[in-house]
Amino acid sequence: MDDPSIRIYRACIPLFEALSDIHRQQIILLLTEHDKQTVNEITKHSHLSRPAISHHLKVLRDAGLVAVNRKGTQRYYSLTIDRALQLLKAFIQAVENCD
């Protein structure tokens, strides 16, 4: 069955998985306050190691919640939630339309 609402639910799975972790939630909140941050800057606000922060940033990036931009040797991470918001709105609409 190729139900559009099932496709929307499945498309949301990586987003829900990314948002389910408290450390990733904290990174998202930090990026809302500071616009863009390097891994080292994010690490300063956490008790996690730099490799752990890098792992969480990869999960967030794969889910489309953060983007990375290079400036010289630095990589800056920032929120990119527009696609995620559109997907969540489609999910909510699909749930509301279920009978």
Side-chain angles (χ1 to χ4, degrees):
M1 181 180 205
D2 195 27
D3 184 346
S5 45
I6 295 296
R7 278 187 274 125
I8 292 169
Y9 299 150
R10 288 183 181 149
C12 286
I13 290 172
L15 181 60
F16 292 144
E17 288 174 345
L19 293 172
S20 69
D21 184 270
I22 191 163
H23 302 295
R24 292 191 284 268
Q25 294 167 12
Q26 291 170 342
I27 291 170
I28 289 170
L29 291 174
L30 179 67
L31 291 174
T32 62
E33 296 171 4
H34 296 283
D35 192 36
K36 60 184 178 185
Q37 298 273 290
T38 65
V39 174
N40 289 335
E41 291 170 333
I42 294 169
T43 303
K44 289 178 186 177
H45 295 279
S46 175
H47 68 279
L48 297 177
S49 67
R50 188 182 187 287
I53 294 293
S54 292
H55 165 74
H56 288 299
L57 286 168
K58 181 184 180 327
V59 172
L60 291 169
R61 195 174 84 223
D62 290 348
L65 291 167
V66 298
V68 61
N69 292 307
R70 289 188 84 141
K71 285 190 179 180
T73 60
Q74 296 292 326
R75 291 178 178 218
Y76 289 90
Y77 292 85
S78 59
L79 287 179
T80 55
I81 59 172
D82 292 340
R83 182 188 158 276
L85 286 175
Q86 290 174 349
L87 193 54
L88 287 173
K89 287 177 184 178
F91 173 78
I92 290 168
Q93 186 176 27
V95 170
E96 290 177 340
N97 291 333
C98 284
D99 293 326

